[in-house]
Amino acid sequence: MEIKTEANLSHLNEFILLGFSDVPSLQDILFGVFVVIYLNILIGNGLIIIITKSDSALQTPMYFFLGNFAFLEICYTSAILPRMLSDLWTRNKTISFLACAAQHFSFLVLASGETLLMAVMAYDRYVAICKPLNYTLIMNHKMCTRLVIASCVSGVPVILGQTIQVFSLSFCDSNVVNHFYCDMPSLMMLSCGDTFWNEVSIYGDAILFGFFPSLLILYSYTRIFISIHKLPTKIGRSKAFSTCSSHLIVMGLFYGSAVIAYLQPKSSYISGIEKILSLFYTTLTPLFNPLIYSLRNKDVIMAIKKLFSKLRIMKE
């Protein structure tokens, strides 16, 4: 494993992802832990996709969005975890320049898709609770499909431009990235050129894919809570709040961990604190999301029970 310095970085063709090399005695344990986490993410979100597609009781816009969100979760973690598991298993930390750029691009596109889809899901709940008479008219299948596609592709041109900008920098301090994936701030720390516009683009992305969606979410749920308090029965209020609380918990976990990680001072990238914080939004929130949605939703629990009952009958 060659660590390049300023003298031999004129033709950089690979990076070294430091990952968790600072704790070599825990490499095997971490591999086992992350394998279990990744398998649970695949199984949990895969189960959500299956039941939202197959169960007739879940053929509504809310579960259509939930199924697509679960699919994005699988893709989102698959941009990071398989590579990290390979590094932990083989102890080979090198990643090619192009592979690093591809990981950076795919991860940010999927992350932006998630934030926008969360806003769409909040809007869906707003229409369902605040405008129930027009719900089926507004949130028809054609509109739902368009909203999902728009959420997934809206970030592509912005992230593509950002990726080209980052990987056009001159890297002359080192080729060692102090992270477990090709994170933009960590890459910028290796540059000997001017990174001002790169830093501006980070804040621009935060506004486009973080601040604006969170404003829409905040507005939607403010209106929802006002409407819930106006419901005549306690049961109606409880049901409406239960439906929305799962979305709020998931959104809080994702936005909270991402904001804390990306607003850390630069010194945290050196100390490695940012790596720990990144684990929350790259692995732990996709792990917990299926549990949150299933444990707090009676319709999902019933659909899972019916699915396992069918599988049991097929085996017999």
Side-chain angles (χ1 to χ4, degrees), residues 87-147:
D87 291 347
L88 287 169
W89 179 256
T90 63
R91 307 294 199 273
N92 179 16
K93 310 293 183 182
T94 59
I95 182 171
S96 70
F97 189 86
L98 289 177
C100 190
Q103 186 187 61
H104 174 273
F105 172 76
S106 59
F107 176 73
L108 288 184
V109 165
L110 292 164
S112 66
E114 283 209 354
T115 61
L116 295 174
L117 190 54
M118 284 181 194
V120 168
M121 292 168 76
Y123 175 72
D124 170 69
R125 292 298 83 209
Y126 160 72
V127 177
I129 294 172
C130 300
K131 300 182 179 181
L133 298 178
N134 296 322
Y135 181 62
T136 55
L137 182 64
I138 297 172
M139 301 305 290
N140 56 68
H141 183 71
K142 189 175 182 180
M143 175 58 72
C144 292
T145 303
R146 286 177 175 175
L147 287 171

Side-chain angles (χ1 to χ4, degrees), residues 129 225-244:
I129 294 172
F225 289 134
I226 292 171
S227 296
I228 287 175
H229 282 292
K230 291 180 181 178
L231 292 176
T233 64
K234 186 177 180 180
I235 295 174
R237 289 195 296 270
S238 177
K239 186 177 180 181
F241 182 76
S242 177
T243 303
C244 297

Side-chain angles (χ1 to χ4, degrees), residues 75-289:
C75 297
Y76 171 75
T77 52
S78 295
I80 300 294
L81 277 178
R83 174 76 211 192
M84 185 170 70
L85 289 171
S86 174
D87 291 347
L88 287 169
W89 179 256
T90 63
R91 307 294 199 273
N92 179 16
K93 310 293 183 182
T94 59
I95 182 171
S96 70
F97 189 86
L98 289 177
C100 190
Q103 186 187 61
H104 174 273
F105 172 76
S106 59
F107 176 73
L108 288 184
V109 165
L110 292 164
S112 66
E114 283 209 354
T115 61
L116 295 174
L117 190 54
M118 284 181 194
V120 168
M121 292 168 76
Y123 175 72
D124 170 69
R125 292 298 83 209
Y126 160 72
V127 177
I129 294 172
C130 300
K131 300 182 179 181
L133 298 178
N134 296 322
Y135 181 62
T136 55
L137 182 64
I138 297 172
M139 301 305 290
N140 56 68
H141 183 71
K142 189 175 182 180
M143 175 58 72
C144 292
T145 303
R146 286 177 175 175
L147 287 171
V148 169
I149 293 172
S151 298
C152 295
V153 304
S154 294
V156 171
V158 177
I159 303 302
L160 179 61
Q162 186 190 72
T163 302
I164 293 170
Q165 186 183 36
V166 171
F167 287 86
S168 298
L169 291 170
S170 299
F171 298 100
C172 54
D173 288 337
S174 170
N175 70 330
V176 179
V177 180
N178 188 18
H179 216 303
F180 54 82
Y181 74 98
C182 292
D183 179 51
M184 183 176 175
S186 299
L187 289 166
M188 285 165 51
M189 291 188 68
L190 306 181
S191 174
C192 58
D194 183 11
T195 60
F196 173 76
W197 291 111
N198 300 91
E199 292 173 16
V200 169
S201 71
I202 290 178
Y203 291 108
D205 284 355
I207 292 170
L208 282 175
F209 305 117
F211 181 69
F212 286 147
S214 64
L215 276 184
L216 178 57
I217 292 167
L218 183 63
Y219 171 79
S220 298
Y221 279 105
T222 300
R223 294 292 302 272
I224 286 169
F225 289 134
I226 292 171
S227 296
I228 287 175
H229 282 292
K230 291 180 181 178
L231 292 176
T233 64
K234 186 177 180 180
I235 295 174
R237 289 195 296 270
S238 177
K239 186 177 180 181
F241 182 76
S242 177
T243 303
C244 297
S245 60
S246 298
H247 297 275
L248 281 174
I249 293 169
V250 169
M251 292 169 191
L253 283 171
F254 182 87
Y255 276 106
S257 57
V259 167
I260 292 170
Y262 273 88
L263 291 183
Q264 289 292 307
K266 287 187 176 181
S267 59
S268 68
Y269 286 87
I270 299 171
S271 66
I273 295 173
E274 200 273 339
K275 284 188 285 187
I276 305 301
L277 291 170
S278 296
L279 289 175
F280 282 90
Y281 63 84
T282 57
T283 60
L284 296 183
T285 53
L287 174 66
F288 292 141
N289 289 350

Side-chain angles (χ1 to χ4, degrees), residues 37-71:
I37 289 175
Y38 187 47
L39 288 176
N40 276 280
I41 289 170
L42 296 178
I43 293 168
N45 287 285
L47 193 59
I48 295 291
I49 294 169
I50 292 169
I51 62 172
T52 55
K53 296 295 182 185
S54 62
D55 195 291
S56 57
L58 303 184
Q59 301 305 303
T60 64
M62 182 177 80
Y63 295 109
F64 174 75
F65 293 131
L66 179 57
N68 282 280
F69 184 75
F71 177 73

